[in-house]
Amino acid sequence: MVENILKRNEVPVEETWDLTHLVSNEEAYEEGVKKLIKDTNEFNAKHKGNINNAQQVIEVIRDCEALVTSLIPYATYVSLQLEEDQTNNEAQIRASKFSTVSSQFASLVSFIDGEILELSSEELEKAIEIEPTYAHYLNRLIAKKAHQLHPEVEKTLAALSSTLDAPYGLYNTTKLVDMKFDHFTVGGKSYPLSYNLFEGDWELESDTEVRREAFKAFSTKLADYQHTTAKTYNTHVQTEKALSDLRGYDSVTDYLLFDQEVEQDLYHRQIDLIMKELAPHMRRYAKLLQKEHGIGKMTFADLKIPMDPSYEPSVTIEESRDYMKKALGVMGEDYLAMIDAAFDERWIDFANNEGKSTGAFCSSPYGFHSYILISWTERMNEVFVLAHELGHAGHFRNAQKHQSLFNSDSSKYFVEAPSTLNEMLMANYLLKNSEDPRFKRWVISSIIARTYYHNFVTHLLEAAFQRKVYELIDAGESVNAAILSNITRSVLEEFWGDDVEINDGAELTWMRQPHYYMGLYPYTYSAGLTISTQVSKRILEEGQPAVEDWLKVLQAGGTKSPVELAKMANVDITTDKPLQETIAFIGSLIDQLEELTAEIHQTTN
């Protein structure tokens, strides 16, 4: 348990990531950005107005790819330095300046798509014949043709990109810089509180009085900023609505799903089936938690508690490496080498400091190794979190080795499959190596509480909330704090029914999710885990052949749609079957929990 909140300069260096792999020093950063601006202007002068045939199409795409590749280390450096400490004034200023550079860059290259699409279909087909590597890029561009605007409008929108993206920055500033939490007191003892401490520690606290008091103190502070945060979010969704209308999409949902390469039926299936069919299983799980902890009334503030807190092991950073290698070793020698490099070369930021972004993520800049952010508190469940982020790292390591930059990023619909598969591999390893009922119960409860709750409940309920918001926005409405809180409460009450009390403060959960500023992202967690659940079953049953199939999927990067990628792994996501089987699997895990709990109580009585 973290006893105090450190400043960034107080944390041990070995617990931080090493950004010098991206940019060696300040001088290199300044020189690199100057060169980037110069190269971008030269690119514009060379190609603008000169895309007249198939060969020139290939040349401009190839040169653009090289230009974007040169931008990546500086953009990543600026972003990660801010993510590690939002209170860092120098990082704030650098990020603000770089957003101007990014807007200038976007404006100078904005002509490409429009000029390419002015050519005939025959000429574009010829370009694909010349360089098949760019087939996916060009086909997606052709599909976007109906939504392409006049070149000058595209240039203007590109120049305004940093302004259009500003709400996310405002959200983080409010959340991580301006919002200061006081200590809270229980039984005469004072406890520190921050965003990371609440989400990484206090939500999981087994002492009911401490946990609920932390929830109350956390929610009280959120409420102080609800109107500013709501205004920020409304600005974001209204901007998306304006862009959707400008580009001629039927709805904001269609606009946001376009780049994911999926139709609305896949989107709605995830939300509707899980809200209807998973809810009864999760209510059963909540009842089991309630009984085990002797809680009179189960509330929203109690849903993240561990099944058996007295059995929760603590894990050091170095011990977590051993778990990663043993559980994920099935993925092969290259994967094991990546894990060692991640620890030895400081790819991972473990530090728990003031101003650090919440949650965990993996950034995988093309041409460089991945960077993983996590706030380590030595709870065993963080082994699953780290395995998840290494899943992203392994995905992009494989994709970038086999694909060019423009072909390396897979659809957002698919992107959480490799990460959640790693969580399943971790669970499989832990279960395989113990016959102790108590340990097995801990592992299974961790799968439910960490892997499935996080992806199939937390993010899915956020997706259900998000869908209701966009319905309002498409109808020409706006949202404010009261509306957003009412939507959140209605979604939570629909899912949990009478089995969980949605206590005061739960309705402010909408304030906690940065993914709302990233399009239709929340639902993709359950989509990815649906795929990975099926793949993990194949790996358990078939072994190496299933692993080899999965590695080929990872290597395909963004050259195929999510439906095609899933089919490569023998999963058909165009039907209800994979999702229904996954929900049934979650139900079977809860069955096992109930059986193991009865066995443990029978043994101890």
Side-chain angles (χ1 to χ4, degrees):
M1 183 182 296
V2 176
E3 296 294 335
N4 58 6
I5 306 167
L6 300 176
K7 301 287 187 183
R8 181 69 181 183
N9 60 8
E10 296 172 334
V11 300
V13 172
E14 60 271 19
E15 293 182 11
T16 65
W17 51 27
D18 184 0
L19 298 182
T20 62
H21 298 162
L22 292 166
V23 180
S24 58
N25 53 47
E26 187 67 25
E27 182 181 355
Y29 172 79
E30 295 295 340
E31 288 301 315
V33 171
K34 284 180 184 177
K35 185 176 186 304
L36 174 67
I37 294 171
K38 175 177 174 291
D39 290 346
T40 307
N41 278 287
E42 289 177 354
F43 172 88
N44 180 273
K46 176 183 177 181
H47 290 292
K48 187 176 182 182
N50 295 317
I51 308 176
N52 302 307
N53 56 53
Q55 185 59 49
Q56 289 171 335
V57 167
I58 298 305
E59 288 175 7
V60 73
I61 295 175
R62 186 179 293 128
D63 286 355
C64 183
E65 197 168 46
L67 190 64
V68 174
T69 300
S70 70
L71 167 77
I72 285 172
Y74 307 106
T76 307
Y77 174 77
V78 168
S79 170
L80 296 185
Q81 194 176 56
L82 196 59
E83 296 282 7
E84 73 186 25
D85 183 6
Q86 297 274 347
T87 67
N88 183 330
N89 287 329
E90 288 184 7
Q92 289 177 20
I93 293 169
R94 182 180 289 111
S96 180
K97 287 181 177 179
F98 193 78
S99 69
T100 302
V101 174
S102 296
S103 294
Q104 183 181 353
F105 179 92
S107 179
L108 287 169
V109 302
S110 65
F111 67 89
I112 299 171
D113 290 357
E115 290 195 21
I116 290 176
L117 289 175
E118 286 179 4
L119 299 178
S120 67
S121 298
E122 291 77 14
E123 202 65 30
L124 295 181
E125 288 171 6
K126 191 185 297 182
I128 292 172
E129 290 176 9
I130 294 172
E131 184 51 84
T133 298
Y134 297 127
H136 188 75
Y137 175 92
L138 287 168
N139 285 327
R140 291 302 297 162
L141 185 58
I142 292 167
K144 194 168 69 173
K145 186 172 185 176
H147 306 289
Q148 191 74 12
L149 302 173
H150 187 279
E152 288 305 311
V153 178
E154 294 288 354
K155 181 178 180 180
T156 301
L157 290 175
L160 290 171
S161 59
S162 63
T163 302
L164 298 176
D165 293 338
Y168 179 51
L170 292 173
Y171 166 78
N172 272 328
T173 299
T174 302
K175 174 181 175 179
L176 299 171
V177 180
D178 288 343
M179 202 178 292
K180 303 295 183 184
F181 293 87
D182 297 325
H183 283 48
F184 65 96
T185 303
V186 177
K189 183 176 179 181
S190 179
Y191 299 89
L193 184 62
S194 70
Y195 242 104
N196 275 318
L197 280 179
F198 177 74
E199 294 188 342
D201 222 350
W202 299 127
E203 267 195 311
L204 288 71
E205 171 59 44
S206 57
D207 186 313
T208 299
E209 187 178 3
V210 172
R211 180 179 64 256
R212 290 182 175 177
E213 194 59 34
F215 181 88
K216 180 180 178 182
F218 182 75
S219 300
T220 298
K221 181 56 64 176
L222 288 185
D224 290 342
Y225 291 84
Q226 62 181 307
H227 300 295
T228 300
T229 306
K231 189 70 174 178
T232 300
Y233 183 48
N234 185 62
T235 300
H236 173 71
V237 293
Q238 295 294 350
T239 299
E240 289 177 320
K241 170 63 173 171
L243 291 171
S244 170
D245 289 346
L246 275 173
R247 295 194 178 282
Y249 288 92
D250 292 335
S251 67
V252 179
T253 300
D254 288 314
Y255 166 60
L256 296 175
L257 285 177
F258 179 84
D259 284 338
Q260 293 187 16
E261 300 183 65
V262 296
E263 301 297 328
Q264 284 206 29
D265 59 332
L266 271 72
Y267 167 67
H268 292 300
R269 176 188 291 124
Q270 290 299 129
I271 300 173
D272 292 337
L273 274 180
I274 293 174
M275 289 293 289
K276 178 183 177 182
E277 298 186 14
L278 180 64
H281 295 304
M282 294 310 298
R283 291 176 190 177
R284 231 173 3 116
Y285 174 67
K287 283 290 187 184
L288 188 57
L289 283 177
Q290 180 182 1
K291 182 179 179 181
E292 283 300 284
H293 283 261
I295 299 172
K297 177 65 179 177
M298 194 71 174
T299 75
F300 181 79
D302 304 318
L303 288 169
K304 296 291 185 71
I305 54 179
M307 179 64 66
D308 187 351
S310 64
Y311 199 78
E312 176 87 24
S314 62
V315 181
T316 66
I317 290 171
E318 189 55 36
E319 286 170 342
S320 73
R321 182 207 296 240
D322 188 53
Y323 278 109
M324 298 303 134
K325 294 180 71 173
K326 288 178 178 176
L328 307 181
V330 66
M331 296 297 291
E333 291 301 320
D334 183 66
Y335 218 91
L336 287 172
M338 178 194 73
I339 293 169
D340 276 331
F343 282 84
D344 294 337
E345 299 171 13
R346 289 174 48 211
W347 300 8
I348 308 169
D349 199 84
F350 293 99
N352 202 325
N353 58 266
E354 180 181 334
K356 185 174 179 176
S357 289
T358 58
F361 67 74
C362 176
S363 174
S364 298
Y366 191 89
F368 296 84
H369 63 69
S370 293
Y371 282 91
I372 293 171
L373 178 140
I374 184 172
S375 296
W376 197 259
T377 61
E378 297 196 347
R379 289 182 181 271
M380 182 67 179
N381 73 345
E382 284 164 355
V383 167
F384 286 94
V385 181
L386 185 53
H388 177 107
E389 301 307 334
L390 283 167
H392 287 305
H395 180 193
F396 290 107
R397 180 183 179 90
N398 274 278
Q400 291 175 11
K401 277 185 176 181
H402 291 83
Q403 304 295 339
S404 64
L405 171 64
F406 289 164
N407 284 337
S408 62
D409 286 351
S410 65
S411 161
K412 195 175 288 184
Y413 183 96
F414 178 83
V415 79
E416 294 299 336
S419 54
T420 52
L421 176 67
N422 273 16
E423 295 188 53
M424 299 306 297
L425 293 178
M426 180 61 68
N428 291 344
Y429 164 75
L430 293 174
L431 286 172
K432 182 180 178 181
N433 285 276
S434 177
E435 292 300 322
D436 177 29
R438 200 172 177 197
F439 181 77
K440 290 179 73 171
R441 184 176 73 156
W442 177 86
V443 174
I444 293 171
S445 65
S446 294
I447 301 169
I448 296 171
R450 170 42 241 174
T451 302
Y452 285 106
Y453 189 102
H454 187 68
N455 299 292
F456 259 69
V457 180
T458 298
H459 288 314
L460 194 282
L461 295 182
E462 290 159 356
F465 159 88
Q466 197 176 36
R467 182 167 66 174
K468 290 178 181 290
V469 168
Y470 284 122
E471 287 172 357
L472 288 174
I473 299 305
D474 270 324
E477 303 292 334
S478 295
V479 292
N480 59 22
I483 291 171
L484 295 171
S485 292
N486 286 337
I487 293 174
T488 301
R489 180 171 287 277
S490 71
V491 168
L492 294 175
E493 288 175 345
E494 178 185 351
F495 188 83
W496 292 110
D498 296 330
D499 295 302
V500 176
E501 177 186 332
I502 309 304
N503 51 310
D504 290 344
E507 75 281 356
L508 297 174
T509 306
W510 62 268
M511 296 179 64
R512 295 166 55 183
Q513 183 50 269
H515 289 158
Y516 291 148
Y517 297 84
M518 304 173 190
L520 295 176
Y521 195 3
Y523 92 100
T524 66
Y525 280 86
S526 65
L529 184 50
T530 299
I531 296 169
S532 63
T533 298
Q534 303 306 309
V535 173
S536 70
K537 287 167 63 179
R538 277 197 65 206
I539 291 175
L540 270 179
E541 294 166 3
E542 302 173 28
Q544 197 59 34
V547 172
E548 292 301 323
D549 283 349
W550 187 242
L551 288 173
K552 289 174 184 175
V553 172
L554 301 186
Q555 292 161 9
T559 60
K560 298 183 182 297
S561 72
V563 170
E564 292 169 329
L565 289 171
K567 280 186 177 177
M568 288 176 67
N570 287 342
V571 182
D572 185 0
I573 58 173
T574 64
T575 70
D576 291 355
K577 184 181 177 184
L579 180 54
Q580 288 178 326
E581 287 184 351
T582 300
I583 292 171
F585 176 67
I586 297 171
S588 73
L589 291 176
I590 296 171
D591 291 341
Q592 291 178 60
L593 273 188
E594 291 173 334
E595 292 165 6
L596 286 166
T597 298
E599 180 183 343
I600 290 166
H601 287 324
Q602 187 175 14
T603 303
T604 55
N605 288 340

